[in-house]
Amino acid sequence: MEKGKKVNIKDVRKRMWEADDDLEIEFRCNKCNKKQRIKPGLIKKIGKEEEEEITYEFENEIMCKNCHSNDIELTEEGINEIEVHTIGMIYGNKKGVLLTEGNVYVENKKMKHCEAYDYILKRIKEESLNGELYLRAGNVACMFNKYSEAINYYEKSLELNPKLLGSLMNLVGIFEYRYTYYKIEDAKVTASFYLEEMANLFRTQDFDDVTIRNKHEIVQFMGEKAESLGVHIPELIQMPKLQLSKSQFKARKLGRNEPCHCGSGKKYKKCCLKI
């Protein structure tokens, strides 16, 4: 940092939320003991250093590239790399480390990050036939990199409520990432199956959208995953679209990374913006 240079807090907060797609940090698998470098996506650094032990949460699934186990943890070198990257984010132009005290919301209830898993398991015991709770349990499991458990929760949620589009969306995302990043060939078949199920459900427009934050991105999501998996979704462009009205569209400038208004499933910058 240059002497006398001030930290732009607004800029730092913005860059906290922007994952560094090129960042790789070191992990060690507890099952096969292999060290490896993995892209974590957005990193959440949770806790106050002066009060409690720091924990980390990662946007991407952290899986051993050798044995495909989720029983994997940061090495001391990996922790140091995150710390150096965090300093670079605050005083330079690095990005992708979100500093947080670890409060999360489950069922709109605020709680500590470490309490979320016990809470959702307790709720499942109270309402064991509530599919939505299993969907939320899957989301919480992903927070702790428990992806095998998350998959089981999502599948159980669909057994109880086949209309939960969020469960299908999350299953597609998990298996597509396992195929594209971890090169697990079988994951392509599973991701393609869930993508087709998702598309079929979305066509009916009779689905539960609980936990889906932006319904306007659903068609874009399906288009991007179909392209990534190399599969074809018939008539994707003609699917029902959750579009803005003309007056809303004119009053709001469409962002480059938002779903294109034509319904192609692609981002605006890769579709009609080029015309």
Side-chain angles (χ1 to χ4, degrees):
M1 180 182 178
E2 296 177 11
K3 187 176 181 180
K5 183 178 179 180
K6 294 183 178 180
V7 175
N8 186 328
I9 300 300
K10 185 177 180 180
D11 180 55
V12 171
R13 287 176 177 171
K14 179 182 177 182
R15 286 186 284 108
M16 278 184 183
W17 287 95
E18 298 176 1
D20 186 338
D21 295 331
D22 295 323
L23 177 64
E24 290 185 330
I25 53 180
E26 188 179 81
F27 291 83
R28 177 189 287 109
C29 177
N30 292 322
K31 186 174 181 180
C32 68
N33 206 36
K34 296 285 186 180
K35 286 184 179 180
Q36 56 210 274
R37 305 193 68 77
I38 298 174
K39 291 184 177 182
L42 182 67
I43 301 169
K44 288 185 180 180
K45 184 178 176 182
I46 301 168
K48 294 181 178 180
E49 295 187 28
E50 66 273 15
E51 295 180 5
E52 56 185 313
E53 183 180 353
I54 295 295
T55 58
Y56 301 93
E57 179 186 320
F58 306 103
E59 177 185 15
N60 297 335
E61 179 177 10
I62 306 301
M63 172 187 281
C64 177
K65 295 177 179 179
N66 180 57
C67 68
H68 299 152
S69 170
N70 287 127
D71 186 10
I72 189 169
E73 61 184 8
L74 284 165
T75 62
E76 287 297 322
E77 177 64 23
I79 293 173
N80 290 336
E81 289 170 345
I82 292 176
E83 294 306 307
V84 170
H85 197 82
T86 303
I87 294 171
M89 184 188 68
I90 295 173
Y91 298 111
N93 58 3
K94 301 291 186 181
K95 59 184 181 180
V97 183
L98 179 61
L99 309 177
T100 173
E101 295 181 11
N103 293 321
V104 297
Y105 286 86
V106 183
E107 290 191 298
N108 294 321
K109 294 181 180 179
K110 185 178 180 180
M111 63 192 69
K112 291 183 178 180
H113 179 270
C114 60
E115 298 172 349
Y117 210 68
D118 288 339
Y119 170 82
I120 199 64
L121 294 182
K122 179 181 177 182
R123 289 287 291 120
I124 284 177
K125 288 182 179 180
E126 294 170 350
E127 299 183 41
S128 61
L129 299 180
N130 186 334
E132 179 183 325
L133 288 178
Y134 288 90
L135 165 56
R136 294 185 184 280
N139 293 345
V140 173
C142 288
M143 288 166 43
F144 293 90
N145 201 50
K146 298 177 180 291
Y147 278 82
S148 294
E149 293 180 24
I151 290 167
N152 291 334
Y153 287 132
Y154 291 140
E155 290 176 341
K156 181 64 177 180
S157 75
L158 291 168
E159 288 179 18
L160 296 170
N161 183 358
K163 295 183 179 182
L164 286 169
L165 193 70
S167 290
L168 288 169
M169 195 171 187
N170 292 335
L171 286 166
V172 172
I174 289 171
F175 285 103
E176 183 269 344
Y177 190 73
R178 287 183 173 185
Y179 168 67
T180 56
Y181 185 69
Y182 289 106
K183 311 303 180 186
I184 302 175
E185 288 297 323
D186 290 349
K188 178 181 179 180
V189 176
T190 308
S192 300
F193 168 77
Y194 283 121
L195 181 59
E196 183 176 355
E197 291 291 299
M198 181 183 175
N200 290 337
L201 178 59
F202 186 74
R203 285 189 186 97
T204 69
Q205 288 292 283
D206 182 22
F207 58 82
D208 289 348
D209 59 7
V210 62
T211 75
I212 296 178
R213 295 181 179 180
N214 191 337
K215 292 182 286 186
H216 297 279
E217 294 182 352
I218 296 173
V219 174
Q220 176 186 326
F221 174 88
M222 289 189 289
E224 289 180 346
K225 298 308 177 186
E227 182 178 0
S228 173
L229 294 165
V231 300
H232 175 60
I233 301 179
E235 301 179 350
L236 176 62
I237 196 170
Q238 297 178 21
M239 280 189 175
K241 297 178 284 294
L242 300 166
Q243 293 181 319
L244 298 170
S245 67
K246 290 183 178 179
S247 60
Q248 288 175 312
F249 182 76
K250 289 179 180 178
R252 176 177 172 276
K253 184 179 179 181
L254 198 63
R256 291 170 54 83
N257 291 312
E258 292 187 74
C260 187
H261 56 77
C262 76
S264 65
K266 298 180 180 180
K267 292 182 180 180
Y268 181 47
K269 66 182 180 182
K270 294 185 177 180
C271 194
C272 293
L273 182 61
K274 293 183 177 181
I275 297 176

